[in-house]
Amino acid sequence: MAAFAEGTPCWVDASLPDVEAGKRFYGELFGWTFSAGAGPEYGGYTQAYSRGRNVAALAPKPDGRMPTVWGIYLYTVDAYACASRIRASGGQMVMDPQPVGPYGGAALAADPGGAVFGLWQPGSHHGFEAQQEPYTYCWSEVYTRARDAVDVFYANVFGYVPEDQDDAGSGVEYRLWSPPGSRPGAETAVLGRSLITDAFPEIMPAHFLVYFAVPDVDESVATVKRLGGRVTADPFDTPHGRIAVVADNQGAVFALLSEPRTGPLG
């Protein structure tokens, strides 16, 4: 399996109060199957599979005060060196790098705006076995109020190459980040950066939004509702595809993305 570039999203997991309920929800929404769950030494971490390939995980929250969220992990060849760059660039370590058995090493960090992300240094677990196809991870972006500090932070830590997008007059500034050494732009981008504007609730924290590809966003939104989830942004069309933002039946927020419509809209 080809290695991910430094700073590339390589894994996602959901921290949930009830993993069994999560398995029922995502099993029906995405058709995922699940492992029996790791032993107590790994906190009951449960791998999710799409057509037999590793695509995500569900993790029971060890503390009810922790948020119910989808989290993202960025690939690194050296989690300790990356943690040092994070501290030196104005970020904070939420959890210092630590080994996860033979699977690899993990850490949690917060950028200067407060958005939390993970680091993953692979051992036997390399990350996604499938992505960028239906019912798998396809994109993520960080929402922040600290634009300048965050842009400098990710450039220093991961060497991202930026390209600012003209968002068709919407007034929302958006930036794409590509791995170091690549030509910037949509073809090479691995993450996006958006801003938390006045259109969002004042209490909304900085965060990463994880996207999953689906064949039909509207059908998937209907399934989310039927399964007890909720819609936080109704389906809308963009040049990159049709998008909706939803929450599962335990409150973990994520986005759905399908290919752009080719016929008339409306």
Side-chain angles (χ1 to χ4, degrees):
M1 180 180 295
F4 295 87
E6 184 82 10
T8 300
C10 66
W11 192 243
V12 291
D13 60 21
S15 297
L16 302 174
D18 186 339
V19 167
E20 289 302 315
K23 289 164 67 174
R24 292 190 294 271
F25 182 92
Y26 292 102
E28 187 157 353
L29 178 63
F30 293 146
W32 288 351
T33 58
F34 301 91
S35 68
E41 68 272 29
Y42 300 114
Y45 201 76
T46 300
Q47 304 285 332
Y49 303 91
S50 177
R51 295 193 291 173
R53 296 161 303 166
N54 221 344
V55 294
L58 308 181
K61 294 198 303 183
D63 186 331
R65 295 170 295 181
M66 296 175 63
T68 299
V69 294
W70 273 99
I72 188 164
Y73 293 81
L74 307 180
Y75 178 91
T76 182
V77 296
D78 187 333
Y80 292 95
C82 191
S84 294
R85 296 196 302 273
I86 287 169
R87 293 189 184 95
S89 302
Q92 297 181 347
M93 296 307 300
V94 178
M95 181 185 78
D96 287 328
Q98 58 183 257
V100 185
Y103 305 109
L108 288 177
D111 69 24
V116 175
F117 61 93
L119 302 175
W120 183 250
Q121 179 181 332
S124 61
H125 191 299
H126 293 273
F128 299 124
E129 291 178 341
Q131 59 172 313
Q132 310 298 328
E133 61 183 61
Y135 308 120
T136 70
Y137 169 88
C138 65
W139 183 247
S140 57
E141 57 205 10
V142 60
Y143 283 78
T144 186
R145 293 180 175 87
R147 178 193 60 190
D148 294 343
V150 161
D151 286 348
V152 171
F153 171 83
Y154 287 100
N156 287 343
V157 174
F158 296 112
Y160 292 149
V161 183
E163 180 179 88
D164 292 322
Q165 300 290 292
D166 179 4
D167 207 7
S170 69
V172 177
E173 181 184 317
Y174 195 82
R175 172 168 283 196
L176 294 175
W177 285 324
S178 298
S182 62
R183 187 171 185 175
E187 295 299 316
T188 59
V190 295
L191 279 173
R193 188 270 291 143
S194 193
L195 300 179
I196 301 175
T197 66
D198 292 341
F200 294 92
E202 289 185 13
I203 62 172
M204 176 178 284
H207 64 282
F208 276 85
L209 179 64
V210 171
Y211 286 70
F212 295 100
V214 293
D216 187 308
V217 160
D218 296 83
E219 287 186 5
S220 291
V221 164
T223 301
V224 167
K225 293 178 179 178
R226 178 172 58 81
L227 295 174
R230 59 186 173 85
V231 179
T232 65
D234 288 322
F236 60 97
D237 291 290
T238 78
H240 307 290
R242 189 160 172 82
I243 294 171
V245 183
V246 299
D248 68 20
N249 57 349
Q250 299 182 67
V253 174
F254 58 99
L256 301 167
L257 173 67
S258 60
E259 292 295 322
R261 290 182 171 184
T262 56
L265 301 179

